[in-house]
Amino acid sequence: QVQLQESGPGLVKPSQTLSLTCTVSGASISSGNFYWSWIRQPAGKGLEWIGRIYTSGGTNYSPSLKSRVTISIDMSKNHFSLKLTSVTAADTAVYYCARGNPWRNIDSWGQGTLVTVSS
Amino acid sequence: NFMLTQPHSVSESPGKTVTISCTGISGSIASNFVQWYQQRPGSAPATVIYEDYQRPSGVPDRFSGSIDTSSNSASLTISGLRAEDEADYYCQSYDSSSVVFGGGTKLTVL
């Protein structure tokens, strides 16, 4: 069964870049017809989709975050990554990585990692 | 852009039936599959309904999903409510190249 695990700094200073990695185990990131996604959730609020990447390297990003987001994939390390630039306190949230089936459900989630933006 | 809107909260007594709606805005709810996720405090979401009405293995048949094109909405119905059903529920679909989530509904089992 596939498992996903987020890793990265839990504290980022305002105006800096948030960087997270999602390591996939139990399956090859390059096998099957899936997309690999980042989703965040501020405390007490709902889920916000950030973006996704396919094993082809194709990406889609949330229109509201597109100017600040880059998602990349490294199939040799079986992981994918998120970079969010110019962060503010509004970017403080639990960040989830997830695997999705195109046009269908997101079937696997990481446990989530809290990232706080503060000086 | 296509959006999904849900009631902020619903509540019902144990043993009763509750329905949570998910209304499509600026697009047809029937254009793409709708999924439903359950999220308990401190945990990641988990699928309870996918492809409008399908249940993953392990999800009890007390959970059901439907689409109503006349109201442009999807619904999640939970019958025989149990205390363990108390959670946040999110609908999810797609808009061209984006994944779209509803705002979430907090279900309280009284």
Side-chain angles (χ1 to χ4, degrees):
Chain A
Q1 183 168 347
V2 66
Q3 293 184 313
L4 294 85
Q5 179 67 59
E6 306 89 351
S7 60
L11 181 64
V12 181
K13 289 181 167 42
S15 80
Q16 293 192 342
T17 296
L18 179 159
S19 296
L20 295 173
T21 295
C22 180
T23 301
V24 178
S25 59
S28 171
I29 202 170
S30 60
S31 65
N33 183 28
F34 300 107
Y35 63 80
W36 304 91
S37 195
W38 288 97
I39 295 153
R40 71 181 183 179
Q41 185 172 37
K45 296 188 177 181
L47 301 169
E48 179 183 17
W49 180 71
I50 298 170
R52 65 182 172 184
I53 189 166
Y54 293 85
T55 51
S56 64
T59 54
N60 300 118
Y61 298 127
S62 165
S64 64
L65 296 170
K66 187 175 184 177
S67 63
R68 298 194 290 130
V69 174
T70 302
I71 296 175
S72 59
I73 193 166
D74 187 334
M75 284 176 274
S76 67
K77 295 182 179 178
N78 223 43
H79 74 206
F80 62 107
S81 301
L82 168 71
K83 289 190 186 301
L84 181 66
T85 62
S86 305
V87 298
T88 69
D91 295 308
T92 294
V94 173
Y95 285 74
Y96 293 100
C97 60
R99 184 182 80 171
N101 297 277
W103 305 109
R104 290 168 168 79
N105 68 316
I106 296 167
D107 66 2
S108 300
W109 299 71
Q111 66 184 23
T113 187
L114 173 63
V115 178
T116 300
V117 178
S118 175
S119 55
Chain B
N1 290 347
F2 182 62
M3 295 186 297
L4 297 170
T5 183
Q6 301 179 232
H8 185 257
S9 63
V10 296
S11 59
E12 189 51 271
S13 303
K16 299 292 189 180
T17 297
V18 70
T19 297
I20 299 171
S21 62
C22 170
T23 302
I25 306 295
S26 300
S28 172
I29 195 76
S31 292
N32 295 293
F33 287 127
V34 175
Q35 282 63 235
W36 290 91
Y37 303 93
Q38 177 192 68
Q39 186 181 33
R40 295 193 174 103
S43 295
T47 307
V48 292
I49 294 290
Y50 68 99
E51 295 179 18
D52 297 341
Y53 58 84
Q54 304 284 355
R55 271 180 294 105
S57 60
V59 174
D61 61 6
R62 300 185 297 106
F63 290 79
S64 62
S66 64
I67 300 292
D68 181 356
T69 54
S70 65
S71 60
N72 206 36
S73 65
S75 294
L76 171 69
T77 299
I78 310 171
S79 60
L81 273 172
R82 300 181 177 182
E84 67 209 46
D85 299 330
E86 187 162 292
D88 294 326
Y89 292 85
Y90 294 89
C91 58
Q92 176 261 313
S93 188
Y94 293 91
D95 175 25
S96 62
S97 58
S98 294
V99 175
V100 180
F101 285 103
T105 299
K106 181 176 181 58
L107 170 62
T108 300
V109 181
L110 301 168

